[in-house]
Amino acid sequence: MLTPAFIICLSFALYAGLLAATFDWELLDHHLFRQAQTATAIRELMRDGPWLAYRIPVLGPPWTVPFEFPLYQIISAKIAGLLELEARHGGRMVAAVSGALCVAALARLAYLLSATRLQIVTISLVFGLSPMMIYWSNAVMIETFALAASLVMTVCACEYLYRDRVWALAGGTLAAICAALAKSTTFGLYLLFVFALFSIEFLRVAWFGFAFRRSAIKGLAEHFFQRVLAGVFLLGPALLIGYAYVDFADRVKTRSVLTGWLTSANLSQWNFGGSRLESLRPIVHDFYAGQPPVLVEALGVLGPVLLALAAMGLLAAGPRYWLRAGGLGLGFLSGPLIFANLYMVHNYYWVAVLPFGAAFIALGLERLIALVARLARRAGLPVGRRRHGVLFAVFALTFAGSSAITMKTFFLDPPTAYRAGLMGAAEAVRAHTEPDDIVHAFGLTWSPALQYFMDRRAVMGTHAGDLTVTYALEQGLEPAALVLCESQKSKLDEYTATPLFAGSWQLVAENPLCQTYVRG
């Protein structure tokens, strides 16, 4: 019979195998913008750049656009430097280890929340073999690192609550700080979950205290303050340190008129805005650009079928399981309901709530397997008396196949035309400029992907008349090369009409995406 330890080891092997198979691949196309932004920060850290206001040279001086604290980036840079690898290699290694750690942490969390052995195995299988989890554990992204830290924080909170292990609070505090610094949107969801666990546990104790020991008010008050102090110790430092870094990053961004609009205050309206109802549509409807819905990305091509089967299992399980399922469903929906626009546009944000969704599906499927096994045994069919072996094996193989198809047809087979266009322009820039030269690019906004491939300081904008050109002229940022992409292709005359780009330019490369010019 499969065990949680076996599933965890299988996840380690799976993530390690995919890492080895794709180790020398260039950055993958899914959310190339964000992957290149992260890889650029890692590369600049490997070059001994500053680590607080880490360099992402895409919008002119001071050549930085700090968002999250670069904890993942620093670890990746140290590993890549130690092993003499490239930035993307270090980033993928840290993401893969973080993904495997997520599986182990979720299994432990399920155990602490009184899940049965078969439920833990099912949860670990659905989560660990999820194509969404596998892919983003192989990308140069902070997603699985932030999720691992958040899950470890939650596990430590449960060790304290349900095993009375006070020492776990120290580990939880450290994990909470890492989670808050790595990605505040992921940390925020699990902060709410931990708060809910503390509240439920206190209410449970209070109920029994009042019901059976009516004179225990003093003890309940002590218990309440003990839990409050534990919660403050667990989460307080993370909130303070996280806020301090956000304030620092905002002050860095306001040093330039090109980055001032990226402060947390300016972005908060968009991050928290959007239609809550629309943010739930990607669960069952395609994302933009033909990306499959969350159900398919998370569970494979059979995602809608598995959801229907899980719902049947939960309905048949009775009220005892409905409350648990409701809590897991609310946890899964908390991300898009709080950060509507982020979840509606970026499919990788759903990694943060995948543990809740995987547990919901796994709980329903486990109950359905148990029900079918019971009916089959009554009919005299050999389904396996020990933990419904045959039926679970069929489910495991079916789920693995569903996941593999989505990995092959979507995640590992992305469109390459966009990346090819960027790399073509970048190669031309590298061939005709020096490492210290400045490149101006228009039509791709502030694309870290182009900057990552060409490895030159860049000033990027949307068109010849925007603030970027004025700022660059004021700063004396003389362009050595000019890249015009998408809507700005074949508009060289508009640029040469401005003082910054006056003079003759030579076209050195052209592809369907971009035209690359150098001084001629």
Side-chain angles (χ1 to χ4, degrees), residues 150-204:
S150 297
L151 286 173
V152 170
M153 171 193 75
T154 309
V155 167
C156 290
C158 290
E159 293 281 4
Y160 167 73
L161 283 175
Y162 307 126
R163 293 293 184 273
D164 205 24
R165 292 168 176 164
V166 179
W167 57 265
L169 289 175
T173 301
L174 179 60
I177 292 172
C178 292
L181 291 176
K183 188 163 188 175
S184 59
T185 53
T186 299
F187 166 71
L189 300 179
Y190 287 86
L191 181 150
L192 294 176
F193 183 56
V194 169
F195 179 79
L197 292 176
F198 268 73
S199 300
I200 292 170
E201 177 63 12
F202 174 74
L203 291 175
R204 185 188 66 83

Side-chain angles (χ1 to χ4, degrees), residues 5 10 27 67 84 120 155 166 176 189 204 221-222 231 261 287 304-305 404 425 457 460-461 466 500:
L10 177 63
L27 292 186
F67 285 96
E84 298 182 353
I120 297 171
V155 167
V166 179
L189 300 179
R204 185 188 66 83
E222 292 176 354
W261 66 279
F287 280 92
V305 176
R457 289 179 298 168
M460 298 184 173
D466 71 10
L500 184 65

Side-chain angles (χ1 to χ4, degrees), residues 172-386:
T173 301
L174 179 60
I177 292 172
C178 292
L181 291 176
K183 188 163 188 175
S184 59
T185 53
T186 299
F187 166 71
L189 300 179
Y190 287 86
L191 181 150
L192 294 176
F193 183 56
V194 169
F195 179 79
L197 292 176
F198 268 73
S199 300
I200 292 170
E201 177 63 12
F202 174 74
L203 291 175
R204 185 188 66 83
V205 173
W207 168 259
F208 283 102
F210 280 115
F212 302 109
R213 291 167 49 196
R214 299 183 183 277
S215 61
I217 296 179
K218 180 180 179 181
L220 287 173
E222 292 176 354
H223 179 79
F224 173 76
F225 285 113
Q226 183 186 58
R227 290 292 188 261
V228 169
L229 289 175
V232 170
F233 180 80
L234 179 69
L235 302 172
L239 292 171
L240 291 174
I241 295 173
Y243 176 81
Y245 182 76
V246 169
D247 181 67
F248 168 80
D250 284 347
R251 284 188 282 112
V252 171
K253 292 172 190 172
T254 55
R255 295 177 188 173
S256 167
V257 295
L258 298 185
T259 57
W261 66 279
L262 292 170
T263 61
S264 59
N266 290 334
L267 293 178
S268 62
Q269 184 175 0
W270 189 86
N271 291 342
F272 292 99
S275 167
R276 271 46 184 171
L277 182 61
E278 285 295 311
S279 72
L280 302 181
R281 289 185 74 252
I283 297 176
V284 293
H285 291 279
D286 286 353
F287 280 92
Y288 66 93
Q291 297 182 46
V294 171
L295 273 178
V296 174
E297 293 188 28
L299 303 174
V301 292
L302 296 178
V305 176
L306 293 173
L307 175 62
L309 293 175
M312 291 171 55
L314 288 170
L315 287 173
R320 177 185 172 188
Y321 287 89
W322 294 348
L323 186 60
R324 299 183 195 178
L328 292 171
L330 183 60
F332 179 73
L333 297 177
S334 63
L337 290 177
I338 296 173
F339 306 106
N341 278 331
L342 292 174
Y343 279 74
M344 192 161 45
V345 174
H346 304 305
N347 62 345
Y348 58 84
Y349 265 83
W350 291 87
V351 173
V353 296
L354 183 58
F356 297 105
F360 178 92
I361 295 293
L363 185 63
L365 291 174
E366 185 272 337
R367 286 293 83 202
L368 183 64
I369 291 171
L371 175 63
V372 173
R374 187 163 60 250
L375 295 175
R377 281 197 294 271
R378 289 179 181 175
L381 298 177
V383 297
R385 292 185 175 278
R386 185 171 176 78

Side-chain angles (χ1 to χ4, degrees), residues 3-19 96-104 107 121 123-130 133-134 137:
T3 64
F6 177 82
I7 298 297
I8 293 169
C9 292
L10 177 63
S11 299
F12 270 74
L14 182 62
Y15 297 164
L18 183 60
L19 177 66
V97 172
S98 299
L101 179 58
C102 287
V103 181
V121 169
I123 291 170
S124 301
L125 182 72
V126 173
F127 180 67
L129 269 62
S130 164
M133 191 64 192
I134 294 171
S137 294

